[in-house]
Amino acid sequence: MELRQLEYLVAVADEGGFTRAATALHVAQPGVSAQIRQLERDLGQPLFDRSGRTVRLTEAGEAVLPYARAALEAVAGARLAVQELTGLLRGRVAIGTVTSLGTDMNLPGLLAGFHERHPGVEITLAEDTSDRLLGGVQDGRYDLAFAGLAGRAPEGIGTQVVIDTALVAAVAHGDELAGRASVRLRTLEGRPLIVLPPGTGIRTAVDAGCAAAGFRPRVAFEAGNPEVLALLAEQGLGVALLPAALAASRPGLHALTVTRPALRSRLVLAWRVASASPAARAFTRHARAFLAGDGVTRSEARDRR
């Protein structure tokens, strides 16, 4: 078993095919296929199901994949540890973020500040939903992530709160609820709700709150951008559940405090506690110090998760 074979295994699993993996690795596709076949012979089990239009991991492949990732991370960590001791911090930091984080904090400033201090570290940034971001931190696809979190963090993940915001029920001024200052969550049972899609921190908070109140929400509209939710509510199409700051900024909406239970959602910086590379540890230290300073636009925070 060779490290190159494990690298190819991880690439094929992540890219979803041999050709895409070869492109990502800048090698010939037949070489990737040959090395995977050799690894399968060594292990005595097929690692990929090639029978369909897409390549999928077999049960054996699913079992081997975490160990392959760990082996590659260990080798990379050993190299980076030596570089860190000599003062030449290099490597790669993969960062995930919810959509439109830039409106909540100075993300470009955070990245630029780290790059200035550690120009030898490659930084990548990708957007996704909160649940996939947190899962990516757990399995190593991301070193850190800015994600929405409604409850406790998954096991093995450290967090620092960036924004903690109340969620309100926002309606058009012509709605029958517009004359009230607050509303019990149970009162919204059966009403058309306008919310973010599953997998986002706000949606998780809404679903958990409705379950605690004893009903299942009637979701009429879903959109990935909270601004779109606000626009739909302004047209009288339902009740939008939004961060309080966003609702307050829309003159066409009336915001009601939600009670019994109150709804809150948090945006957090999340990182993997164990097996972090020196570059990832350095970025975590940098990010936490940045957030402790003036890196968050708190007065205009519109938690888009």
mmCIF file of all heavy atoms in Angstrom, residues 60-85:
data_model
loop_
_atom_site.group_PDB
_atom_site.id
_atom_site.type_symbol
_atom_site.label_atom_id
_atom_site.label_comp_id
_atom_site.label_asym_id
_atom_site.label_seq_id
_atom_site.Cartn_x
_atom_site.Cartn_y
_atom_site.Cartn_z
ATOM 1 N N ALA A 60 -16.690 -1.518 1.621
ATOM 2 C CA ALA A 60 -15.269 -1.575 1.984
ATOM 3 C C ALA A 60 -14.609 -0.219 1.748
ATOM 4 O O ALA A 60 -13.780 0.234 2.548
ATOM 5 C CB ALA A 60 -14.564 -2.656 1.175
ATOM 6 N N GLY A 61 -14.972 0.446 0.643
ATOM 7 C CA GLY A 61 -14.407 1.754 0.361
ATOM 8 C C GLY A 61 -14.777 2.781 1.416
ATOM 9 O O GLY A 61 -13.946 3.603 1.824
ATOM 10 N N GLU A 62 -16.033 2.747 1.862
ATOM 11 C CA GLU A 62 -16.476 3.663 2.923
ATOM 12 C C GLU A 62 -15.680 3.429 4.200
ATOM 13 O O GLU A 62 -15.369 4.377 4.939
ATOM 14 C CB GLU A 62 -17.969 3.469 3.201
ATOM 15 C CG GLU A 62 -18.884 3.880 2.062
ATOM 16 C CD GLU A 62 -19.122 5.375 2.024
ATOM 17 O OE1 GLU A 62 -18.508 6.098 2.823
ATOM 18 O OE2 GLU A 62 -19.924 5.811 1.178
ATOM 19 N N ALA A 63 -15.362 2.150 4.471
ATOM 20 C CA ALA A 63 -14.613 1.831 5.684
ATOM 21 C C ALA A 63 -13.163 2.292 5.596
ATOM 22 O O ALA A 63 -12.569 2.717 6.585
ATOM 23 C CB ALA A 63 -14.678 0.326 5.947
ATOM 24 N N VAL A 64 -12.587 2.217 4.399
ATOM 25 C CA VAL A 64 -11.166 2.543 4.225
ATOM 26 C C VAL A 64 -10.947 4.050 4.128
ATOM 27 O O VAL A 64 -9.909 4.565 4.568
ATOM 28 C CB VAL A 64 -10.614 1.835 2.965
ATOM 29 C CG1 VAL A 64 -9.211 2.334 2.626
ATOM 30 C CG2 VAL A 64 -10.596 0.329 3.169
ATOM 31 N N LEU A 65 -11.901 4.782 3.572
ATOM 32 C CA LEU A 65 -11.709 6.193 3.272
ATOM 33 C C LEU A 65 -11.247 7.036 4.470
ATOM 34 O O LEU A 65 -10.298 7.827 4.330
ATOM 35 C CB LEU A 65 -12.992 6.785 2.686
ATOM 36 C CG LEU A 65 -12.913 8.258 2.248
ATOM 37 C CD1 LEU A 65 -11.871 8.448 1.152
ATOM 38 C CD2 LEU A 65 -14.283 8.741 1.771
ATOM 39 N N PRO A 66 -11.849 6.909 5.659
ATOM 40 C CA PRO A 66 -11.370 7.736 6.785
ATOM 41 C C PRO A 66 -9.916 7.467 7.140
ATOM 42 O O PRO A 66 -9.183 8.385 7.518
ATOM 43 C CB PRO A 66 -12.313 7.346 7.933
ATOM 44 C CG PRO A 66 -13.516 6.776 7.275
ATOM 45 C CD PRO A 66 -13.027 6.110 6.040
ATOM 46 N N TYR A 67 -9.486 6.199 7.013
ATOM 47 C CA TYR A 67 -8.095 5.877 7.324
ATOM 48 C C TYR A 67 -7.156 6.440 6.268
ATOM 49 O O TYR A 67 -6.033 6.867 6.574
ATOM 50 C CB TYR A 67 -7.927 4.364 7.434
ATOM 51 C CG TYR A 67 -8.650 3.768 8.614
ATOM 52 C CD1 TYR A 67 -9.892 3.160 8.454
ATOM 53 C CD2 TYR A 67 -8.116 3.845 9.898
ATOM 54 C CE1 TYR A 67 -10.585 2.625 9.536
ATOM 55 C CE2 TYR A 67 -8.795 3.319 10.989
ATOM 56 C CZ TYR A 67 -10.030 2.715 10.800
ATOM 57 O OH TYR A 67 -10.695 2.189 11.877
ATOM 58 N N ALA A 68 -7.612 6.460 5.018
ATOM 59 C CA ALA A 68 -6.798 7.050 3.959
ATOM 60 C C ALA A 68 -6.622 8.548 4.200
ATOM 61 O O ALA A 68 -5.515 9.090 4.073
ATOM 62 C CB ALA A 68 -7.447 6.801 2.597
ATOM 63 N N ARG A 69 -7.711 9.217 4.561
ATOM 64 C CA ARG A 69 -7.608 10.653 4.862
ATOM 65 C C ARG A 69 -6.661 10.891 6.036
ATOM 66 O O ARG A 69 -5.823 11.811 6.011
ATOM 67 C CB ARG A 69 -8.987 11.225 5.207
ATOM 68 C CG ARG A 69 -9.971 11.282 4.055
ATOM 69 C CD ARG A 69 -11.180 12.122 4.473
ATOM 70 N NE ARG A 69 -12.290 11.993 3.559
ATOM 71 C CZ ARG A 69 -12.419 12.657 2.422
ATOM 72 N NH1 ARG A 69 -11.464 13.498 2.067
ATOM 73 N NH2 ARG A 69 -13.492 12.492 1.654
ATOM 74 N N ALA A 70 -6.796 10.073 7.072
ATOM 75 C CA ALA A 70 -5.960 10.251 8.264
ATOM 76 C C ALA A 70 -4.491 10.040 7.940
ATOM 77 O O ALA A 70 -3.617 10.765 8.437
ATOM 78 C CB ALA A 70 -6.412 9.292 9.364
ATOM 79 N N ALA A 71 -4.190 9.044 7.102
ATOM 80 C CA ALA A 71 -2.799 8.774 6.740
ATOM 81 C C ALA A 71 -2.202 9.946 5.971
ATOM 82 O O ALA A 71 -1.073 10.374 6.238
ATOM 83 C CB ALA A 71 -2.718 7.494 5.910
ATOM 84 N N LEU A 72 -2.965 10.477 5.022
ATOM 85 C CA LEU A 72 -2.477 11.615 4.240
ATOM 86 C C LEU A 72 -2.307 12.854 5.116
ATOM 87 O O LEU A 72 -1.340 13.607 4.965
ATOM 88 C CB LEU A 72 -3.438 11.906 3.095
ATOM 89 C CG LEU A 72 -3.548 10.814 2.018
ATOM 90 C CD1 LEU A 72 -4.641 11.165 1.022
ATOM 91 C CD2 LEU A 72 -2.218 10.613 1.302
ATOM 92 N N GLU A 73 -3.237 13.066 6.043
ATOM 93 C CA GLU A 73 -3.123 14.204 6.944
ATOM 94 C C GLU A 73 -1.919 14.061 7.862
ATOM 95 O O GLU A 73 -1.239 15.040 8.178
ATOM 96 C CB GLU A 73 -4.395 14.338 7.782
ATOM 97 C CG GLU A 73 -5.599 14.839 6.984
ATOM 98 C CD GLU A 73 -6.867 14.871 7.823
ATOM 99 O OE1 GLU A 73 -6.772 14.565 9.032
ATOM 100 O OE2 GLU A 73 -7.924 15.199 7.273
ATOM 101 N N ALA A 74 -1.641 12.827 8.306
ATOM 102 C CA ALA A 74 -0.500 12.607 9.186
ATOM 103 C C ALA A 74 0.814 12.922 8.477
ATOM 104 O O ALA A 74 1.719 13.552 9.040
ATOM 105 C CB ALA A 74 -0.496 11.167 9.684
ATOM 106 N N VAL A 75 0.921 12.497 7.229
ATOM 107 C CA VAL A 75 2.144 12.779 6.462
ATOM 108 C C VAL A 75 2.289 14.277 6.227
ATOM 109 O O VAL A 75 3.372 14.853 6.401
ATOM 110 C CB VAL A 75 2.116 12.018 5.126
ATOM 111 C CG1 VAL A 75 3.271 12.459 4.231
ATOM 112 C CG2 VAL A 75 2.190 10.523 5.366
ATOM 113 N N ALA A 76 1.184 14.919 5.823
ATOM 114 C CA ALA A 76 1.235 16.362 5.597
ATOM 115 C C ALA A 76 1.558 17.102 6.888
ATOM 116 O O ALA A 76 2.333 18.065 6.894
ATOM 117 C CB ALA A 76 -0.096 16.848 5.034
ATOM 118 N N GLY A 77 0.994 16.637 7.995
ATOM 119 C CA GLY A 77 1.258 17.267 9.285
ATOM 120 C C GLY A 77 2.708 17.138 9.699
ATOM 121 O O GLY A 77 3.295 18.062 10.274
ATOM 122 N N ALA A 78 3.315 15.982 9.433
ATOM 123 C CA ALA A 78 4.725 15.788 9.771
ATOM 124 C C ALA A 78 5.612 16.761 8.996
ATOM 125 O O ALA A 78 6.536 17.373 9.550
ATOM 126 C CB ALA A 78 5.132 14.351 9.476
ATOM 127 N N ARG A 79 5.305 16.913 7.711
ATOM 128 C CA ARG A 79 6.093 17.841 6.901
ATOM 129 C C ARG A 79 5.920 19.282 7.384
ATOM 130 O O ARG A 79 6.890 20.043 7.506
ATOM 131 C CB ARG A 79 5.671 17.734 5.441
ATOM 132 C CG ARG A 79 6.029 16.398 4.788
ATOM 133 C CD ARG A 79 5.708 16.430 3.308
ATOM 134 N NE ARG A 79 6.057 15.162 2.669
ATOM 135 C CZ ARG A 79 5.249 14.452 1.911
ATOM 136 N NH1 ARG A 79 4.026 14.886 1.695
ATOM 137 N NH2 ARG A 79 5.646 13.325 1.351
ATOM 138 N N LEU A 80 4.646 19.645 7.647
ATOM 139 C CA LEU A 80 4.377 21.015 8.052
ATOM 140 C C LEU A 80 4.919 21.321 9.440
ATOM 141 O O LEU A 80 5.308 22.450 9.728
ATOM 142 C CB LEU A 80 2.872 21.283 8.012
ATOM 143 C CG LEU A 80 2.269 21.349 6.608
ATOM 144 C CD1 LEU A 80 0.754 21.408 6.686
ATOM 145 C CD2 LEU A 80 2.794 22.552 5.864
ATOM 146 N N ALA A 81 4.962 20.301 10.318
ATOM 147 C CA ALA A 81 5.509 20.512 11.653
ATOM 148 C C ALA A 81 6.979 20.898 11.576
ATOM 149 O O ALA A 81 7.452 21.789 12.304
ATOM 150 C CB ALA A 81 5.338 19.246 12.487
ATOM 151 N N VAL A 82 7.713 20.259 10.683
ATOM 152 C CA VAL A 82 9.129 20.596 10.500
ATOM 153 C C VAL A 82 9.269 22.006 9.933
ATOM 154 O O VAL A 82 10.104 22.801 10.375
ATOM 155 C CB VAL A 82 9.818 19.568 9.578
ATOM 156 C CG1 VAL A 82 11.245 19.997 9.267
ATOM 157 C CG2 VAL A 82 9.812 18.192 10.222
ATOM 158 N N GLN A 83 8.402 22.333 8.953
ATOM 159 C CA GLN A 83 8.445 23.666 8.369
ATOM 160 C C GLN A 83 8.099 24.738 9.395
ATOM 161 O O GLN A 83 8.691 25.822 9.422
ATOM 162 C CB GLN A 83 7.481 23.741 7.189
ATOM 163 C CG GLN A 83 7.891 22.869 6.014
ATOM 164 C CD GLN A 83 6.811 22.779 4.954
ATOM 165 O OE1 GLN A 83 5.705 23.269 5.154
ATOM 166 N NE2 GLN A 83 7.131 22.153 3.834
ATOM 167 N N GLU A 84 7.147 24.413 10.267
ATOM 168 C CA GLU A 84 6.754 25.373 11.298
ATOM 169 C C GLU A 84 7.895 25.627 12.268
ATOM 170 O O GLU A 84 8.135 26.760 12.694
ATOM 171 C CB GLU A 84 5.526 24.851 12.042
ATOM 172 C CG GLU A 84 4.909 25.879 12.976
ATOM 173 C CD GLU A 84 3.664 25.345 13.647
ATOM 174 O OE1 GLU A 84 3.698 24.196 14.108
ATOM 175 O OE2 GLU A 84 2.661 26.081 13.695
ATOM 176 N N LEU A 85 8.646 24.574 12.615
ATOM 177 C CA LEU A 85 9.768 24.732 13.529
ATOM 178 C C LEU A 85 10.865 25.594 12.926
ATOM 179 O O LEU A 85 11.580 26.304 13.640
ATOM 180 C CB LEU A 85 10.328 23.357 13.908
ATOM 181 C CG LEU A 85 9.454 22.513 14.848
ATOM 182 C CD1 LEU A 85 10.031 21.123 15.006
ATOM 183 C CD2 LEU A 85 9.317 23.194 16.201
#
